[in-house]
Amino acid sequence: MSAASEKTTTGAKTRNSTSRSKNDDLAAEIEALRADVGAVTERLSKIATVGAKTARSHRDDAALTVREKSDALIDDLTTQLEDIERRAGKAVRRNPLQTLALAAGAGFMAAILLRR
């Protein structure tokens, strides 16, 4: 072989090895990026799962609070209604004629209003 052809062959080998080295470096960087993206995706998934659990917990706590408050309100209203009913019963027994007249007057007014 001539010196020029040997020099060309050596130069091509050097370029090929440099190109392979750059390709290997690029492949390693791409693989590292894939691993990083996978780690970020996994972390975001964990954060979303924790957030969903926290939201469910808050929802359950709020529902329990609303249920307790509504039960207390219903109990209070029931007690007030029973008291009104008891007082109305006593008033009717004490004044039966006035109650009858009041009921008749209310019925008469309702009939007039419903005719129109």
Side-chain angles (χ1 to χ4, degrees):
M1 260 200 215
S2 71
S5 105
E6 199 174 299
K7 190 175 181 183
T8 306
T9 307
T10 306
K13 286 181 184 177
T14 303
R15 274 183 264 141
N16 284 342
S17 68
T18 302
S19 177
R20 280 190 210 126
S21 174
K22 286 181 181 180
N23 286 341
D24 290 344
D25 289 345
L26 184 58
E29 285 182 33
I30 289 171
E31 197 56 41
L33 285 172
R34 283 185 182 151
D36 289 346
V37 167
V40 168
T41 303
E42 185 178 330
R43 180 70 178 147
L44 288 174
S45 175
K46 287 179 182 178
I47 289 171
T49 302
V50 168
K53 286 180 182 177
T54 302
R56 271 188 240 115
S57 175
H58 286 353
R59 179 202 64 203
D60 293 344
D61 291 346
L64 183 60
T65 302
V66 167
R67 187 177 308 131
E68 288 172 350
K69 286 182 179 182
S70 64
D71 287 345
L73 183 61
I74 289 171
D75 289 344
D76 186 41
L77 290 174
T78 303
T79 302
Q80 288 179 10
L81 184 61
E82 288 171 352
D83 185 46
I84 291 170
E85 185 180 3
R86 190 173 36 256
R87 284 189 285 156
K90 286 180 184 178
V92 168
R93 280 190 292 278
R94 272 189 249 132
N95 305 308
L97 293 178
Q98 286 178 348
T99 304
L100 184 61
L102 184 62
F108 180 72
M109 292 299 291
I112 289 174
L113 291 174
L114 291 175
R115 275 191 195 168
R116 292 184 182 204

